[in-house]
Amino acid sequence: MGSKSSRISDLPKNEYLKKLSGTESVSENDPFWNQLLSFSFPAPTSSTELKLLEEATISVCKSLVENNPRTGNLGALIKVFLSRTKELKLSAECQNHIFIWQTHNALFIICCLLKVFICEMSEEELQLHFTYEEKSPGSYSSDSEDLLEELLCCLVQLITDIPLLDITYEISVEAISTMVVFLSCQLFHKEVLRQSISHKYLMQGPCLPFTSKLVKTLLYNFIRQEKPPPPGAHIFPQQSDGGGLLYGLASGVATGLWTVFTLGGVGSKTTASPELSSPLANQSLLLLLVLANLTDAPEAPNPYRQAIMSFKNTQDSSPFPSSIPHAFQINFNSLYTALCEQQTSDQATLLLYTLLHQNSNVRTYMLARTDMENLVLPILEILYHVEERNSHHVYMALIILLILTEDDGFNRSIHEVILKNITWYSERVLTEISLGSLLILVVIRTIQYNMTRTRDKYLHTNCLAALANMSAQFRSLHQYAAQRIISLFSLLSKKHNKVLEQATQSLRGSLSSNDAPLPDYAQDLNVIEEVIRMMLEIINSCLTNSLHHNPNLVYALLYKRDLFEQFRTHPSFQDVMQNIDLVITFFSSRLLQAGAELSVERVLEIIKQGVVALPKDRLKKFPELKFKYVEEEQPEEFFIPYVWSLVYNSAVGLYWNPQDIQLFTMDSD
C-alpha cells in the first residue's frame, strides 16, 4: 500500500495485495514477502471495524480464490509463515520485535484469507488449495505435502510453546483465532458436522500428542486473564522505503482511519465488556469450548473432551490410570478462583457446567470448598437477572445448581453460610440471610418469572428438581424464604382453579355447539397439577426431615392454611397432603389453646415448643426426593450451535457476515 495510503477503501487497489491475489506465482523466497508483511496497525477488534475491513478486501480474497489453483500463492504465504515459526521461540527470547511483528502479520493475513475461503467453498475444495504443487501448475496429487495439516500442527505448537510476553501476546491471540477459523466450517452448515477434515487433523496424526498440552494451555490462559500489552509497547523503526502494506496507517498517517477505529470512532464502545478485558483469555476459552464439543470420530472419541474429563489437581499425587489418555494436572485453586470471577459471561458459565458435569475431580474439589458462596452467588445473580440474560445462559446456570444440589453435603453447608446485605436483590432488603435461603428465593423467583413470561416446562422442571434435592436439608429458613415457598404454592393454586374453571366453561359450551374445537385444557391442568404435587412433596420433605429446624415454614403454613383445604381430598394429592394436614391441625390446636391475638414472637415460641411435643412416628415416611441431571440424547444438537453462537458474538477480531450463517438463526438467543 505504501506510506501515502490512508483509506481502507484503497485496499483493493493496493499493489502488494494485487500481486498476492493475481495471476503471477510468487516464490516463497521472493523479497516481496518482506514488503507485504511490513505493515503496522492495531488489528481491528469490533464487528464494525472487521466488517469494513472484510468489505474492502473481499474482492482481493475472491481474486485469490480464483487464481490460487494456478499460482499457489496461498501455499507460498503459508510456507513463509511456517519457516518463520521455527525461529519464533528464539526470537521471543532475543526480543526480536521486527521478526515477531512480521510473523504475526503473515498469520493475520492467512486468517483473513482462510475465513473467506472457508465461507466460499467446501472443505474438500479448500484442501485442494493447500495441496498445490509448484512443479505442475494447476495439478493436484495425493502425494503432495498437506500444508493444511502442517499449518494446524504449527498453530497448536505456537500456542503451547511460545512464551507469553508483551511482544508475543498478539501472535498468540492470532494463532488461537486462526484455529477457531479453521473449525468455523460448522457455521455454514445447518446440521451438526460429524465428519470434517479439520476435525480429523486435530483428533488424529501429528496434532494428537499435543492434546493435553493444548487444553492445559488454553485453561491457564483463561485462569490468568492476561491483559494485552499497553498501546505503544511495540515501537518499530520506520522503513526508508515507506514500508509495506498498511505501514503508513499506523506510523506516518496518524490521523488516518485506524486512529478513528482505535480512539473511539466508528462502531467503537465506550467501555469494554468484562470478558474482553483479556482477549487472550476470551479466545482461549472459546477455542477450548469448540474443541470440547467436536463430535466423536467413528473410530475414536474426542481427545479434547477426554482431556477435559480427566485432568486432576496439582495437589493430587495419585497416579493416573493407564486407561486415561491425555491426562494432565492443573492448579484447581486458581481454576476455581477464575471461574468464580468470570461468571458474567456465557462462555465461563458453560465451562463451569462442562467441568462440573464431566470432570469428577473438579466436581469433588468444588463441593469440598468452604467458600462455595463465591461460586454460587454469581450463578444466583445470573438467574436473578433472568430478563437480561439469554435463555441458554439461564439454563446453564440452573443446571449448575441442579448438579450441586445432588450432593447432600452441599445442601447442608449452604444453610451454614450467612450473607450480609445482598445489594443486587431488590425485592426486599436482606441484611442477613443464609446462602441456602437466598438460593431458594432466587429459584422461586425464576419459577414465577417463567410462569408469567416464558412458560417453559423444562425450566420449571429443573427449578423444582433443585428445590426438591435441597428440601430434606432445609435449615433455619429465613422468614421471607418460607413466605415465598407458600406464596408460590398460592400462585399455583390460583392458576389451577382458573384452568379448572376454564375447562368447565369450555365443556358446557361444547354441549350447545359441536362445531368449535375444544382447547386442550386437560393438558394444561395435568401440567399444573404435576407442579402442585411437586411443591407439596417439597414442603412435605422439609416437614418430615427437618421440622424442628424450620419454625418459619410452619408459621407460613399456618398463616395460609386455607390454601391447602381444597387439596386434602383431591385424589392426586391425598397421600402427600397427610403430613402437611397433620402439621397444620396439630399446631393450629396448640395456638387455639394459647388464646387469641398472639404476637409473631409468641406464635413462633409455641411452634418451637410444639415441635418437641409432636411425635415423629405420626409423620408418614416418603421416599427421599432426589433428582439427578441427565444430559439429553445427542447433546451436541444443543451445545454445538450454542458454542458457535458464543464464538460469533464474543470472539475478538473475527467477523462473519450474518447472511452466510446457517447453523443458527441470527435473531435467536
Side-chain angles (χ1 to χ4, degrees):
M1 168 169 278
S3 60
K4 293 182 180 179
S5 299
S6 60
R7 294 192 305 273
I8 207 166
S9 57
D10 290 336
L11 286 176
K13 294 174 282 187
N14 177 264
E15 59 179 294
Y16 298 106
L17 291 179
K18 287 175 73 174
K19 185 171 182 178
L20 173 67
S21 61
T23 57
E24 179 187 343
S25 293
V26 183
S27 165
E28 61 194 270
N29 300 315
D30 196 300
F32 161 80
W33 299 109
N34 281 334
Q35 297 170 321
L36 174 71
L37 303 178
S38 295
F39 62 87
S40 177
F41 67 90
T45 55
S46 77
S47 59
T48 305
E49 297 168 17
L50 289 156
K51 184 179 180 183
L52 286 171
L53 179 63
E54 179 158 308
E55 288 173 351
T57 56
I58 191 68
S59 61
V60 173
C61 293
K62 289 190 173 181
S63 176
L64 184 64
V65 169
E66 181 181 345
N67 294 321
N68 186 67
R70 292 181 296 277
T71 66
N73 285 346
L74 175 62
L77 172 61
I78 289 169
K79 288 178 182 178
V80 168
F81 170 73
L82 291 174
S83 67
R84 284 174 168 272
T85 56
K86 294 172 184 175
E87 302 173 43
L88 201 56
K89 194 170 184 178
L90 181 61
S91 298
E93 293 170 357
C94 298
Q95 296 284 302
N96 189 336
H97 290 244
I98 292 180
F99 187 88
I100 294 172
W101 160 51
Q102 290 186 329
T103 308
H104 166 269
N105 289 348
L107 184 55
F108 176 73
I109 295 173
I110 290 168
C111 187
C112 292
L113 294 173
L114 271 177
K115 197 156 63 62
V116 175
F117 272 60
I118 289 171
C119 180
E120 293 283 323
M121 63 188 69
S122 68
E123 278 196 301
E124 290 73 21
E125 291 173 306
L126 176 66
Q127 193 174 32
L128 291 179
H129 280 273
F130 276 80
T131 51
Y132 168 86
E133 286 187 287
E134 188 176 354
K135 62 182 182 181
S136 306
S139 68
Y140 302 97
S141 165
S142 59
D143 298 327
S144 60
E145 60 183 329
D146 191 341
L147 284 176
L148 179 59
E149 184 172 37
E150 193 175 345
L151 178 57
L152 267 175
C153 289
C154 176
L155 292 173
V156 171
Q157 291 179 66
L158 193 160
I159 294 166
T160 57
D161 292 348
I162 301 302
L164 187 60
L165 308 169
D166 277 0
I167 59 172
T168 60
Y169 189 96
E170 288 183 4
I171 196 170
S172 296
V173 173
E174 201 64 49
I176 293 168
S177 297
T178 307
M179 283 198 68
V180 171
V181 168
F182 258 120
L183 296 163
S184 66
C185 53
Q186 175 65 81
L187 282 171
F188 311 110
H189 292 79
K190 289 184 179 180
E191 305 298 325
V192 168
L193 289 179
R194 301 190 181 278
Q195 287 189 326
S196 163
I197 294 170
S198 55
H199 294 188
K200 179 182 176 183
Y201 286 148
L202 283 170
M203 295 200 281
Q204 301 172 27
C207 290
L208 188 61
F210 294 94
T211 297
S212 58
K213 198 173 182 181
L214 178 59
V215 171
K216 184 176 182 177
T217 300
L218 295 175
L219 274 174
Y220 268 127
N221 286 347
F222 166 72
I223 289 169
R224 289 167 180 150
Q225 293 290 317
E226 292 280 359
K227 292 180 171 54
H234 305 113
I235 306 297
F236 304 111
Q238 184 164 350
Q239 296 177 348
S240 58
D241 64 353
L245 169 65
L246 299 181
Y247 180 86
L249 290 181
S251 53
V253 194
T255 57
L257 185 62
W258 291 109
T259 306
V260 177
F261 283 158
T262 55
L263 299 182
V266 183
S268 64
K269 297 181 180 179
T270 53
T271 56
S273 304
E275 66 269 22
L276 299 185
S277 61
S278 173
L280 179 65
N282 184 71
Q283 302 295 85
S284 295
L285 179 52
L286 291 172
L287 176 58
L288 182 64
L289 292 171
V290 169
L291 292 172
N293 286 280
L294 296 179
T295 53
D296 293 335
E299 62 278 6
N302 178 346
Y304 301 97
R305 189 181 301 122
Q306 286 181 318
I308 286 170
M309 291 173 65
S310 59
F311 70 82
K312 298 194 306 185
N313 193 356
T314 49
Q315 305 298 314
D316 187 345
S317 58
S318 61
F320 282 104
S322 56
S323 59
I324 297 180
H326 315 299
F328 64 92
Q329 291 180 290
I330 205 165
N331 187 307
F332 276 16
N333 183 59
S334 300
L335 176 61
Y336 180 81
T337 301
L339 286 166
C340 292
E341 292 174 350
Q342 299 299 320
Q343 286 307 304
T344 51
S345 75
D346 282 70
Q347 47 265 41
T349 304
L350 181 54
L351 176 63
L352 174 58
Y353 158 79
T354 302
L355 295 178
L356 276 174
H357 177 54
Q358 297 185 0
N359 190 313
S360 59
N361 300 320
V362 173
R363 184 168 61 251
T364 301
Y365 173 84
M366 288 187 175
L367 289 169
R369 294 281 302 205
T370 56
D371 60 348
M372 277 298 290
E373 66 273 16
N374 292 336
L375 186 68
V376 175
L377 281 172
I379 299 300
L380 294 183
E381 202 167 347
I382 293 168
L383 292 175
Y384 185 79
H385 296 295
V386 58
E387 64 280 354
E388 300 170 14
R389 304 289 182 179
N390 69 68
S391 60
H392 290 69
H393 200 183
V394 172
Y395 284 144
M396 289 299 102
L398 193 53
I399 292 168
I400 286 166
L401 286 186
L402 180 56
I403 292 171
L404 293 173
T405 61
E406 292 171 12
D407 183 76
D408 286 341
F410 170 83
N411 295 331
R412 284 190 296 271
S413 65
I414 55 175
H415 293 287
E416 297 166 4
V417 177
I418 305 301
L419 307 168
K420 307 277 188 180
N421 300 316
I422 308 301
T423 54
W424 48 262
Y425 194 96
S426 60
E427 274 87 344
R428 178 164 172 159
V429 177
L430 299 174
T431 53
E432 186 173 291
I433 189 172
S434 72
L435 179 60
S437 288
L438 181 64
L439 197 159
I440 292 166
L441 284 175
V442 172
V443 171
I444 287 175
R445 185 180 183 275
T446 307
I447 294 173
Q448 290 179 322
Y449 176 86
N450 187 50
M451 285 176 64
T452 57
R453 305 284 184 87
T454 55
R455 300 183 181 182
D456 187 322
K457 185 181 177 182
Y458 180 79
L459 194 143
H460 255 13
T461 302
N462 284 285
C463 283
L464 291 167
L467 288 176
N469 284 346
M470 294 188 292
S471 59
Q473 276 84 35
F474 283 173
R475 295 288 188 276
S476 304
L477 289 184
H478 191 281
Q479 63 180 30
Y480 186 52
Q483 289 170 19
R484 299 310 297 164
I485 291 172
I486 305 304
S487 294
L488 175 59
F489 185 80
S490 174
L491 187 65
L492 292 167
S493 175
K494 290 175 184 175
K495 192 171 182 66
H496 177 267
N497 292 340
K498 182 180 178 181
V499 174
L500 195 59
E501 183 181 345
Q502 289 173 333
T504 304
Q505 290 176 352
S506 177
L507 191 60
R508 286 173 184 162
S510 69
L511 296 176
S512 57
S513 173
N514 295 324
D515 299 331
L518 282 174
D520 193 3
Y521 289 114
Q523 183 179 354
D524 290 346
L525 201 60
N526 183 53
V527 170
I528 196 70
E529 286 185 355
E530 282 181 12
V531 177
I532 287 174
R533 179 170 179 88
M534 191 83 157
M535 280 302 299
L536 288 172
E537 288 179 342
I538 289 166
I539 295 169
N540 178 69
S541 173
C542 177
L543 297 179
T544 307
N545 294 283
S546 54
L547 177 65
H548 56 297
H549 288 298
N550 292 292
N552 284 328
L553 182 62
V554 177
Y555 183 98
L557 268 176
L558 295 173
Y559 191 75
K560 293 283 188 179
R561 71 191 81 174
D562 294 344
L563 278 176
F564 298 88
E565 190 66 33
Q566 63 175 308
F567 300 105
R568 290 177 61 189
T569 56
H570 194 293
S572 298
F573 312 119
Q574 273 183 312
D575 58 337
V576 76
M577 273 297 301
Q578 287 181 37
N579 288 341
I580 297 172
D581 191 37
L582 173 63
V583 168
I584 290 173
T585 303
F586 177 82
F587 285 99
S588 295
S589 173
R590 293 183 74 89
L591 291 177
L592 195 61
Q593 294 171 18
E597 298 184 8
L598 300 172
S599 66
V600 173
E601 292 76 14
R602 178 60 182 146
V603 172
L604 285 171
E605 185 182 340
I606 293 168
I607 289 171
K608 290 173 184 176
Q609 293 169 352
V611 166
V612 179
L614 178 65
K616 301 296 182 290
D617 57 359
R618 291 181 60 187
L619 293 173
K620 181 182 176 182
K621 289 290 182 184
F622 285 83
E624 185 180 9
L625 291 179
K626 270 298 169 191
F627 293 88
K628 192 174 180 64
Y629 169 68
V630 179
E631 208 167 59
E632 294 183 7
E633 291 184 15
Q634 294 188 312
E636 65 274 8
E637 298 291 341
F638 169 85
F639 284 104
I640 289 177
Y642 180 32
V643 168
W644 278 105
S645 72
L646 296 181
V647 173
Y648 177 84
N649 288 303
S650 306
V652 179
L654 294 176
Y655 168 82
W656 289 274
N657 189 330
Q659 296 177 346
D660 295 329
I661 304 300
Q662 299 291 317
L663 183 61
F664 47 83
T665 54
M666 301 313 301
D667 58 350
S668 69
D669 290 332

